[in-house]
Amino acid sequence: MKWHDVIVSLASNMNQRENLQEARRRLQQILSDISYSHELWTEPVSTSVANEGHSVSEEADCSAHHHLYLNQLAWARTWLTVEQLTQAFKQIEQEMGRTPELRKQHVVTIDLDLLEHDGQRYHLADWNRPYVAELLDSQRFA
């Protein structure tokens, strides 16, 4: 069995803190040696080009964040292949209430994306988003 190093993106725009906490609990079941970045509030990517994926003040009242995303990155190890991990993420998303109907309404209970698996990058557009760069940088100095 070969261990793989992975980077995972977590995001939610509904009951954000609770959903990220539940996603972290579920990830513990399939990942090992997990470390997390800090959480970062961002505007929805589709809101405007000017604010695309930019962070917002964490001091702002959380009740005002009902439309905002709470994002986090995880670094971990797993024995799962890319395909197995992607399937496990989809299952977690579905179990946590992510549906096509909610997606059409731009409601994301949880979004789990595999950004990197043994140095191979995925979701390439996400790597260009400012919040991903900020969270990656924060881990380098942790």
Side-chain angles (χ1 to χ4, degrees):
M1 179 177 347
K2 181 180 185 307
W3 283 98
H4 308 283
D5 294 317
V6 297
I7 301 174
V8 180
S9 171
L10 297 80
S12 176
N13 72 354
M14 183 182 110
N15 299 325
Q16 298 95 322
R17 289 200 190 279
E18 296 86 356
N19 284 333
L20 255 59
Q21 182 177 4
E22 177 62 16
R24 288 189 299 263
R25 187 188 70 74
R26 291 172 183 245
L27 288 174
Q28 294 263 354
Q29 299 170 8
I30 59 172
L31 301 175
S32 298
D33 301 327
I34 307 173
S35 63
Y36 292 96
S37 70
H38 65 279
E39 297 173 341
L40 187 64
W41 292 101
T42 60
E43 291 284 342
V45 171
S46 60
T47 296
S48 71
V49 174
N51 288 328
E52 184 174 300
H54 288 278
S55 61
V56 295
S57 172
E58 195 166 342
E59 288 80 35
D61 178 12
C62 289
S63 64
H65 293 329
H66 64 277
H67 73 286
L68 298 177
Y69 280 82
L70 189 57
N71 303 275
Q72 190 171 46
L73 296 182
W75 290 262
R77 302 187 79 210
T78 184
W79 54 268
L80 297 175
T81 65
V82 171
E83 295 78 15
Q84 292 169 325
L85 206 49
T86 301
Q87 184 59 40
F89 290 170
K90 289 194 183 313
Q91 182 176 345
I92 291 170
E93 290 172 346
Q94 290 172 353
E95 289 173 357
M96 289 184 63
R98 187 156 188 195
T99 65
E101 294 78 23
L102 286 176
R103 186 175 181 169
K104 289 176 187 172
Q105 299 170 28
H106 305 286
V107 174
V108 178
T109 53
I110 193 68
D111 183 35
L112 300 173
D113 289 329
L114 179 62
L115 293 183
E116 190 173 284
H117 190 278
D118 280 345
Q120 176 67 46
R121 289 185 171 188
Y122 300 89
H123 296 274
L124 298 180
D126 290 357
W127 287 91
N128 296 321
R129 294 194 174 141
Y131 71 86
V132 171
E134 182 175 336
L135 293 174
L136 284 169
D137 282 345
S138 72
Q139 183 64 15
R140 289 189 186 114
F141 300 107

